[in-house]
């Protein structure tokens, strides 16, 4: 195969994967209004064998590290400092999610996680790591982008704010879980405004990423994350209302403060 046709096959595969990210977003959003991914508080039988949740998080998120690091060097712009800065931000989030978060869960909590759900998440992470990493290393020459510094800085502020909200909220929840005695009403920080500030933080992070990478790839990931987490936040909110009834704060929303 000539280098030209090899690169056009590569581009075709890339654009099909990017398209897939968009094509699965709306069905995910619609499906999650009727059926929740069966882990955590929405766990139910009938989804096959399980593994400990800390191990599931470690395994299903691992492509974001190993696959991204594997394919990044093959990109034509992989030695660009700008591309590398974007990769570092992506890896920062996923080092926390793949290594730090599972270790925290392992020390403090025990939960079962269906292997079937882990496999779906693993597949998504393979797809998404490819779409994001290949874009920043091979398909976009950020060296030519005169607005890069402004977008990167602005996006980094948004991403950093989202990550602080996400990590702090997860710490509160894992802390509550470690106390034992089942689920409790979380009472601090952004929990006073919404039921799932950890999901809100995650969505803000990927909005920051979309601004930083200024790409259909980045926007697609932000869209998919919103389509995945907004319905789950709504389901969590309804679950809290059902479980705690009058005890649950009346003015707390599901995921968007004061609105939704
Ligand atoms: N990018 C994406 O599309 C995506 C998708 C999913 C998750 N995530 C991220 O992954 C992280 C974890 O997600 P998750 O869905 O597992 O979050 P979660 O349902 O809020 O649970 C987080 C941890 O806190 C425990 N917990 C939750 N609420 C509790 C309460 N009221 N009282 C006591 N313990 C409580 C859970 O225990 P149990 O496991 O026993 O419920 C679990 O160990 C989040 O930061 C989320 O943003 C990202």
């Amino acid at each position: 195969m000539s280098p030209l046709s090899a690169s056009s096959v590569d581009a075709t595969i890339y654009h099909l994967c990017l398209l897939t990210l968009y094509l699965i977003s709306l069905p995910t959003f619609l499906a999650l209004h009727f059926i929740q991914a069966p882990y955590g508080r929405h766990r139910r039988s009938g989804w096959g064998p399980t593994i400990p949740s800390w191990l599931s998080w470690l395994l299903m998120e691992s492509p974001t590290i190993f696959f991204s690091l594997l394919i990044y060097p093959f990109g034509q712009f992989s030695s660009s400092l700008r591309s590398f800065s974007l990769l570092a931000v992506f890896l920062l989030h996923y080092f926390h999610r793949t290594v730090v978060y599972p270790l925290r869960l392992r020390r403090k909590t025990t939960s079962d996680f269906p292997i079937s759900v882990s496999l779906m998440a693993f597949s998504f992470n393979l797809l998404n790591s490819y779409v994001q990493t290949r874009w920043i290393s091979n398909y976009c020459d950020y060296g030519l982008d005169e607005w890069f510094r402004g977008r990167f800085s602005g996006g980094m502020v948004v991403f950093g704010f989202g990550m602080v909200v996400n990590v702090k909220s997860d710490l509160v929840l894992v802390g509550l879980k470690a106390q034992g005695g089942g689920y409790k009403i979380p009472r601090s920080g952004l929990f006073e405004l919404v039921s799932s500030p950890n999901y809100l933080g995650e969505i803000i992070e990927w909005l920051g990423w979309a601004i930083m990478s200024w790409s259909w790839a980045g926007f697609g990931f932000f869209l998919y994350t919103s389509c995945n987490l907004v319905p789950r936040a709504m389901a969590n909110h309804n679950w809290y209302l059902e479980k705690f009834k009058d005890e649950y704060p009346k003015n707390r929303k599901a995921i968007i403060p004061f609105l939704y």
Side-chain angles (χ1 to χ4, degrees):
M1 195 181 285
S2 73
L4 184 64
S5 60
S7 72
S8 73
V9 169
D10 190 84
T12 305
I13 292 172
Y14 179 80
H15 286 100
L16 282 175
C17 289
L18 177 60
L19 183 65
T20 303
L21 190 58
Y22 281 85
L23 289 180
I24 60 177
S25 291
L26 185 61
T28 298
F29 182 75
L30 295 176
L32 291 180
H33 276 83
F34 301 102
I35 182 169
Q36 283 311 311
Y39 72 91
R41 81 196 74 208
H42 304 290
R43 175 134 158 60
R44 45 200 188 276
S45 57
W47 289 80
T50 61
I51 52 175
S53 63
W54 70 267
L55 183 59
S56 173
W57 281 104
L58 192 152
L59 294 176
M60 70 190 181
E61 303 291 308
S62 63
T64 59
I65 306 275
F66 80 76
F67 195 54
S68 300
L69 287 174
L70 192 74
I71 62 177
Y72 180 86
F74 292 99
Q76 57 177 323
F77 305 117
S78 59
S79 54
S80 146
L81 186 60
R82 292 179 174 192
S83 300
F84 189 74
S85 307
L86 286 163
L87 177 75
V89 173
F90 189 76
L91 291 180
L92 171 71
H93 171 90
Y94 278 114
F95 179 74
H96 175 266
R97 177 66 66 236
T98 310
V99 180
V100 179
Y101 182 66
L103 286 178
R104 199 168 279 145
L105 287 182
R106 184 165 188 243
R107 264 192 289 124
K108 298 202 168 178
T109 75
T110 49
S111 268
D112 289 334
F113 204 107
I115 294 173
S116 53
V117 180
S118 311
L119 283 173
M120 283 187 253
F122 184 91
S123 311
F124 173 79
N125 282 318
L126 267 182
L127 172 83
N128 190 47
S129 303
Y130 173 71
V131 169
Q132 307 304 323
T133 307
R134 199 73 183 136
W135 176 260
I136 60 173
S137 65
N138 192 62
Y139 286 108
C140 184
D141 184 358
Y142 286 101
L144 299 176
D145 180 359
E146 54 185 302
W147 299 98
F148 179 82
R149 281 169 197 269
R151 286 190 196 121
F152 186 86
S153 313
M156 191 65 215
V157 171
V158 176
F159 182 93
F161 174 71
M163 189 158 176
V164 169
V165 170
N166 175 259
V167 172
K168 282 184 85 165
S169 308
D170 275 342
L171 272 172
V172 170
L173 293 174
V174 173
L176 282 181
K177 173 121 183 159
Q179 289 172 12
Y183 292 99
K184 302 176 180 63
I185 301 178
R187 296 265 184 202
S188 58
L190 274 175
F191 282 103
E192 295 305 332
L193 298 179
V194 293
S195 295
S196 299
N198 50 343
Y199 295 169
L200 174 63
E202 179 104 22
I203 290 171
I204 294 173
E205 276 182 71
W206 299 118
L207 173 64
W209 170 256
I211 297 169
M212 263 184 267
S213 64
W214 205 249
S215 61
W216 288 112
F219 183 76
F221 186 25
F222 163 66
L223 179 72
Y224 178 82
T225 303
S226 306
C227 288
N228 190 17
L229 293 184
V230 169
R232 191 165 178 93
M234 199 62 217
N236 285 355
H237 187 66
N238 290 335
W239 180 92
Y240 276 122
L241 290 172
E242 176 74 18
K243 181 170 176 65
F244 296 104
K245 303 212 159 49
D246 291 344
E247 250 189 284
Y248 202 66
K250 295 274 171 301
N251 52 353
R252 200 176 284 191
K253 300 292 183 189
I255 186 161
I256 304 174
F258 313 110
L259 289 176
Y260 184 79

